[in-house]
Amino acid sequence: SAPRVVFQGLHDVPLCDRPIAGAPVGVREVAWLSVRDYAVLTGPDGATSLEVVRNGRRERLFNSVGARMGALEASPSGRYVVVRLDGALTLFRTGSSPALQPLPADDELARSITWSRDERLAALATESSVAVFPSDAGARAVRIPISAATVQWR
């Protein structure tokens, strides 16, 4: 079992105790989608790529040119990943096109996202509300008028 490190009390981050076989060159961040499959951020700041590796095959989902990309996280079953793109939370579907998914943030800064265990629903925290929406249809959301920094499904 890999050791866990807590950063700023926000997340438990499992550290890899050995290199990932077949991983792309220049890996900056990894989020596991399943036992074998993962999403990675590769490349330098300002020219970072988001890639998914499934069954040893790489697929590029997004290239950021001139923007910073980081804080990679995966949904429970790996159908979705989120990254911060110049600070803005950005959602991608990992297995189908189009990869970029809209978030129901109403032009507000999205602070945090979480999914139900079956990933049918997601909750998004913004400055003025928590939006609960079907994961595959971000435009249809029920808004709860509260300000939250983070959300977590229980």
Side-chain angles (χ1 to χ4, degrees):
S1 171
R4 290 183 111 40
V5 177
V6 177
F7 292 96
Q8 300 175 354
L10 296 176
H11 300 284
D12 288 341
V13 179
L15 299 177
C16 290
D17 56 355
R18 60 184 173 267
I20 302 167
V25 175
V27 171
R28 296 179 50 207
E29 295 184 33
V30 175
W32 292 97
L33 307 176
S34 68
V35 174
R36 291 184 193 91
D37 303 333
Y38 54 93
V40 292
L41 296 181
T42 61
D45 264 349
T48 307
S49 295
L50 169 61
E51 298 181 20
V52 171
V53 179
R54 289 192 188 276
N55 299 317
R57 296 177 54 115
R58 290 170 47 188
E59 177 186 358
R60 184 166 292 148
L61 297 183
F62 188 77
N63 287 322
S64 95
V65 177
R68 295 188 64 146
M69 188 165 35
L72 176 65
E73 292 183 54
S75 64
S77 74
R79 281 183 58 200
Y80 302 94
V81 293
V82 292
V83 296
R84 291 261 173 210
L85 189 57
D86 272 350
L89 197 64
T90 308
L91 177 66
F92 295 89
R93 189 181 305 206
T94 61
S96 63
S97 245
L100 186 62
Q101 294 289 113
L103 285 172
D106 284 351
D107 297 325
E108 290 186 85
L109 177 65
R111 295 177 170 171
S112 175
I113 191 168
T114 188
W115 289 269
S116 60
R117 286 195 174 107
D118 63 5
E119 291 185 9
R120 288 184 318 120
L121 298 173
L124 180 73
T126 67
E127 295 167 324
S128 66
S129 67
V130 172
V132 180
F133 60 98
S135 295
D136 60 355
R140 300 182 337 215
V142 173
R143 297 190 183 286
I144 303 165
I146 58 172
S147 180
T150 63
V151 285
Q152 184 177 10
W153 208 279
R154 299 240 178 195

